[in-house]
Structure formats: C-alpha cells, structure tokens
Amino acid sequence: RKRLQYILSLDFGTSSLKASILNERLETIKSIKEEYQFEVLNDDKIELNPDELFKAFVKCSHILNDFMPKVDMLVYDTFSPSVIFMDASGDYLYPVITHLDRRSLNQSNEILKYFGEDRYQEITGVLPFAGGVSLTSILWIKENIPEVFSKAYKIAHFNTYFYRKLTGFWGIDHVNASMTGIYETVKDCGWSDDICETFGINKGKLPDVIYAGN
C-alpha cells in the first residue's frame, strides 16, 4: 500500500476558510486562514457568494503550493445548512443562504401546519426552524424568486457546489442531506416523497446522497 504523505484539511466557516496540511500521523504541519465576508440584507437575510469561498480555497492552495504535489487526500467540511441553487454547469443562480438566515419564518410555520412537529421529526429527525433546515429557505425562494427555483438544475448545500467544482459530479453526504429537512433521516431511505410532493419539489433537482469519502 502506498504510504500516505500529506492530507489537506479544509474547514469552510461562515467568515473564513481554515486550511491545514497534516501528515500520516494527523500532526499539523502548516495551517493558514483566508477570510471572506458574508452579506447581511434587511437584518434577516445572510448570504455568501460561493465563488468567493472557492477563490479562498484556490488562494490557500497557492500558499501551500510546496506541499500540494505530495497531498494524497483532501478532506473538508462546510457550514450547514448552506442552501444553494445551481444550473446544469454547477454555477450558482443565487448566493448561499447560510444557517444564520432568518427570512423564512413564515415557511417554517407552513411546514409545521402541514406535518406537525411529531410527524416531521419522524421523517427527518429535525424540526423546520428558519435557517436550521434547508427546506424553509428553499420554499422562501420558490415563493419569492420563483425564476431561481424553476431554473435550478440542482438544489443542495455548498459542499455539493464544491464537490462539483472539484470532480464534475453531483453529490451530498448523509449529514448534509439530513440538514436539508427533506431527507428520510430516521429510516435512512432517501429523499422524502411526502415532503417533496407536498411542497412541489422535484426530487430530480436533489443530488445523489453518497457516503463521505466516495
């Protein structure tokens, strides 16, 4: 088996990217931080430009250039939920709606009206707090900017956007899928037909759920 040389670890937060080079013993060799700015609109809308996050990754990669040829593994995590609407090329149609966003209080109440707390939790394992799950933000976009919702080829989280940029494939891990509030988390059996049909979400717009590391 080939000996692991270096791991590139990325932590995408709401205000900065932390990048570290680790050796095979998981010892940190070098760490850097690249900041970016989220945008606050009307107090309750908090968004991030996904391209700026990707530029931060590119900048960190350049700074760590001496290590990059020996990096055998890349691991990353992202803030969640981090709703993003993308076209077929993987470009964003609307900035990332962060977990700090609170615009979708009405949509949160709408979800509870249809499902109730118990039934919704039995499906998703979570409650539809505004900003706490993607569904509330997705419904806000559907109701307030319908052209973005209708044009979207995929609706997912920032980690899907990043994965698509690196590999050309669409995918979302189980943790992020569960944070959408659309996934059958309790039974781990895919996107919820009940939720998608109730709120008019085409399951084809949702990415494949894959295990981290695939």
Side-chain angles (χ1 to χ4, degrees):
R1 186 173 68 90
K2 180 182 176 182
R3 181 179 178 183
L4 182 67
Q5 297 189 70
Y6 290 121
I7 300 169
L8 174 59
S9 174
L10 304 173
D11 176 16
F12 287 96
T14 51
S15 59
S16 67
L17 167 63
K18 279 76 74 178
S20 298
I21 295 291
L22 288 72
N23 63 21
E24 63 176 354
R25 295 183 295 277
L26 303 183
E27 298 167 335
T28 302
I29 305 301
K30 186 176 179 66
S31 292
I32 57 175
K33 180 179 180 180
E34 183 64 24
E35 296 185 348
Y36 36 75
Q37 184 62 52
F38 57 78
E39 187 171 9
V40 180
L41 305 169
N42 301 328
D43 295 328
D44 61 351
K45 299 180 179 69
I46 303 179
E47 304 173 350
L48 271 165
N49 183 331
D51 287 348
E52 292 303 313
L53 277 68
F54 195 81
K55 287 178 183 177
F57 161 68
V58 173
K59 185 172 182 179
C60 287
S61 297
H62 287 164
I63 295 172
L64 297 171
N65 186 59
D66 291 345
F67 299 95
M68 297 304 287
K70 295 183 179 180
V71 168
D72 295 314
M73 182 183 298
L74 182 149
V75 296
Y76 68 96
D77 67 86
T78 65
F79 56 95
S80 180
S82 50
V83 185
I84 183 169
F85 294 75
M86 295 165 283
D87 64 19
S89 298
D91 296 323
Y92 74 96
L93 299 171
Y94 190 86
V96 175
I97 300 176
T98 76
H99 59 291
L100 302 173
D101 196 279
R102 294 295 180 269
R103 77 184 72 183
S104 55
L105 289 172
N106 289 338
Q107 288 71 30
S108 175
N109 292 331
E110 181 183 353
I111 295 165
L112 290 175
K113 175 184 174 182
Y114 279 100
F115 283 91
E117 290 188 5
D118 291 343
R119 183 182 170 204
Y120 191 77
Q121 279 193 309
E122 286 171 0
I123 299 171
T124 66
V126 295
L127 285 174
F129 296 119
V133 298
S134 309
L135 181 58
T136 64
S137 299
I138 291 170
L139 295 181
W140 187 94
I141 290 290
K142 184 184 179 186
E143 295 169 19
N144 292 273
I145 318 179
E147 61 273 19
V148 169
F149 181 85
S150 62
K151 288 179 182 178
Y153 180 75
K154 292 295 178 184
I155 303 171
H157 284 177
F158 173 73
N159 71 318
T160 297
Y161 170 90
F162 188 66
Y163 185 70
R164 168 74 180 180
K165 285 281 190 183
L166 294 183
T167 69
F169 295 99
W170 300 102
I172 189 170
D173 63 275
H174 286 74
V175 173
N176 273 279
S178 72
M179 294 301 292
T180 65
I182 308 173
Y183 190 71
E184 294 252 13
T185 303
V186 174
K187 295 181 179 179
D188 192 18
C189 59
W191 300 111
S192 170
D193 289 328
D194 283 350
I195 293 174
C196 288
E197 290 172 4
T198 298
F199 298 111
I201 298 173
N202 183 344
K203 287 171 65 176
K205 289 180 178 285
L206 305 174
D208 292 336
V209 181
I210 59 177
Y211 285 98
N214 288 359

